């Protein structure tokens, strides 16, 4: 099956909030946040729609495609602007798209779930899919709760996936969901996020390692063959634990949480952008994209950049 990543783009709010700024109103410190999470600052503002539009427009420009070239618009988000309609429909309209559009909510695994859905849509005759991950998590944060406020942030990232019979960028996929963990990280209607951080940490390492190992096996490669791991950006200590267990040096891990915090569905495309900006995306290289999040959900995929 020929699936090719054709273009990427990101969208960020204007406002940067540093750890020091959070320390003015919360019982926390730059030292604690940096050491325990790796986060130094985050972007706050916009909406899932506005950030998704910027990311989507940038991805379309990067791919050199026009609105009529897009057959489907998928938005991965945990923080849609409205209950109805789907925020993907609002974004599609702003981008001049008239194709089908829908939201996918798999929390922080959302972007990878949406890529998986896009792969299926390409197999059933669609030519080009716009996949966006965009979040306005700050709206659902209790800014007096230091357990959450130092972690979550806003942002958007997007990619165009195209059918191309001559190449295949997506070599394997392992997804899963375990609803027994639903209350570990949750947000009720009109509520705010709450989290059992330690238990989420413990389970995250386990599911990311297991699903990554299976994704490598399905792709027929080993961790030694990977040029990069592009993980969900929740906590640098989770990334270190995963890399360690998989036998991947941290020099091959892409880190974006230092500047962006945890942007849930947007975190993997934002991390891809960091890797590309740093000149680390090379034709023919294998990369492991792996996410986990509320649910719990997880998704790991081995890609080979064409
Ligand atoms: O996107 C996917 C979902 N989210 C995640 O993946 C998050 C996974 N979990 C984590 O990243 C970490 O568990 C946290 C960053 C949330 C917490 O780090 P931790 O090392 O697990 O800290 P802890 O919960 O074990 O707390 C250690 C101490 C506690 O104080 P005591 O009881 O030892 O006196 C906390 O009250 O740190 C305290 N603490 C803080 N101190 C300063 C907790 N949050 C903060 C804070 N600033 N923001």
């Amino acid at each position: 099956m020929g699936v090719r990543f054709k273009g990427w783009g990101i969208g960020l709010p204007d406002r940067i909030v540093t750890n020091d700024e959070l320390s003015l109103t919360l019982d926390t410190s730059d030292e604690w946040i940096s050491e325990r999470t790796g986060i130094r600052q985050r972007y706050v503002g916009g909406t899932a729609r506005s950030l998704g539009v910027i990311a989507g427009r940038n991805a379309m420009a990067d791919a050199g495609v026009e609105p009529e070239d897009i057959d489907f618009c998928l938005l991965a988000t945990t923080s849609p602007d409205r209950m109805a309609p789907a925020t993907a429909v609002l974004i599609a309209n702003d981008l001049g798209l008239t194709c089908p559009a829908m939201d996918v909510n798999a929390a922080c695994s959302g972007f990878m779930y949406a890529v998986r859905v896009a792969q299926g849509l390409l197999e059933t005759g669609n030519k080009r899919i716009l996949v966006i991950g965009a979040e306005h998590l700050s709206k659902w944060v209790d800014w007096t709760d230091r357990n959450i406020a130092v972690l979550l942030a806003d942002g958007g990232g997007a990619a165009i996936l195209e059918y191309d019979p001559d190449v295949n960028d997506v070599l394997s996929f392992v997804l899963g969901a375990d609803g027994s963990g639903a209350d570990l990280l949750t947000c009720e209607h009109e509520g705010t996020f709450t989290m059992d951080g330690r238990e989420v940490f413990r389970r995250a390492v386990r599911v990311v390692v297991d699903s990554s190992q299976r994704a490598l096996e399905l792709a027929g490669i080993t961790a030694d063959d990977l040029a990069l791991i592009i993980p969900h950006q929740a906590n640098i200590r989770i990334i270190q634990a995963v890399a360690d267990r998989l036998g991947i040096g941290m020099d091959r891990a892409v880190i974006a949480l230092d500047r962006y915090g945890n942007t849930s569905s947007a975190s993997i495309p934002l991390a891809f952008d960091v890797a590309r900006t740093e000149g680390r995306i090379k034709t023919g290289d294998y990369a492991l994209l792996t996410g986990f999040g509320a649910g719990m959900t997880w998704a790991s995929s081995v890609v080979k950049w064409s």
Side-chain angles (χ1 to χ4, degrees):
M1 174 62 208
V3 176
R4 168 186 208 132
F5 286 101
K6 173 99 172 163
W8 294 76
I10 67 169
L12 293 165
D14 295 331
R15 179 156 144 67
I16 294 176
V17 176
T18 63
N19 292 346
D20 282 336
E21 187 175 345
L22 286 180
S23 309
L24 296 175
T25 51
L26 284 172
D27 180 16
T28 189
S29 64
D30 176 43
E31 189 187 10
W32 192 95
I33 303 169
S34 306
E35 278 179 13
R36 307 299 291 179
T37 73
I39 297 168
R40 297 187 174 278
Q41 60 169 44
R42 73 282 296 139
Y43 288 75
V44 173
T47 61
R49 174 186 188 167
S50 68
L51 300 171
V53 166
I54 300 167
R57 188 172 288 131
N58 287 336
M60 288 169 65
D62 190 44
V65 299
E66 299 297 327
E68 57 272 21
D69 299 325
I70 306 291
D71 294 334
F72 217 107
C73 175
L74 292 170
L75 171 70
T77 190
T78 321
S79 47
D81 287 18
R82 306 182 194 177
M83 284 282 288
T87 304
V89 174
L90 309 175
I91 292 174
N93 187 55
D94 291 348
L95 292 173
L97 309 181
T98 52
C99 60
M102 68 176 186
D103 289 358
V104 175
N105 181 351
C108 305
S109 311
F111 185 80
M112 297 311 296
Y113 264 62
V115 169
R116 181 60 164 159
V117 173
Q119 191 185 28
L121 289 167
L122 292 171
E123 283 184 12
T124 51
N126 294 281
K127 173 79 179 149
R128 224 167 272 108
I129 317 284
L130 173 59
V131 182
I132 302 171
E135 299 284 6
H136 183 207
L137 298 173
S138 64
K139 185 178 175 194
W140 306 99
V141 165
D142 173 356
W143 288 96
T144 65
D145 179 0
R146 68 180 183 177
N147 291 313
I148 288 289
V150 303
L151 304 174
L152 302 185
D154 303 329
I160 307 279
L161 265 75
E162 185 176 82
Y163 176 73
D164 183 337
D166 297 326
V167 295
N168 188 20
D169 286 2
V170 181
L171 303 186
S172 65
F173 244 117
V174 177
L175 298 95
D178 175 6
S180 71
D183 293 330
L184 295 174
L185 174 50
T186 186
C187 181
E188 300 286 344
H189 286 294
E190 308 306 328
T192 51
F193 279 99
T194 57
M195 178 175 68
D196 177 344
R198 280 187 210 181
E199 184 58 13
V200 170
F201 192 119
R202 204 178 60 79
R203 291 194 190 205
V205 173
R206 195 178 66 221
V207 297
V208 171
V209 169
D210 287 353
S211 60
S212 295
Q213 282 169 337
R214 278 194 289 137
L216 288 165
E217 279 165 28
L218 286 173
I221 66 167
T222 70
D224 289 343
D225 299 315
L226 289 172
L228 287 180
I229 172 171
I230 306 183
H232 169 49
Q233 306 284 314
N235 187 321
I236 196 160
R237 291 187 294 127
I238 294 178
I239 298 174
Q240 281 163 341
V242 166
D244 188 48
R245 284 166 177 73
L246 292 174
I248 300 170
M250 280 300 280
D251 56 323
R252 288 188 278 159
V254 178
I255 304 300
L257 52 74
D258 51 346
R259 63 207 85 172
Y260 298 136
N262 180 348
T263 57
S264 190
S265 301
S267 94
I268 286 182
L270 282 171
F272 174 90
D273 184 72
V274 167
R276 184 161 76 165
T277 306
E278 292 174 352
R280 297 168 72 187
I281 303 290
K282 300 205 176 61
T283 303
D285 275 355
Y286 292 105
L288 171 67
L289 277 55
T290 179
F292 65 92
M296 289 191 59
T297 60
W298 57 92
S300 295
S301 175
V302 173
V303 304
K304 185 177 186 188
W305 310 120
S306 63

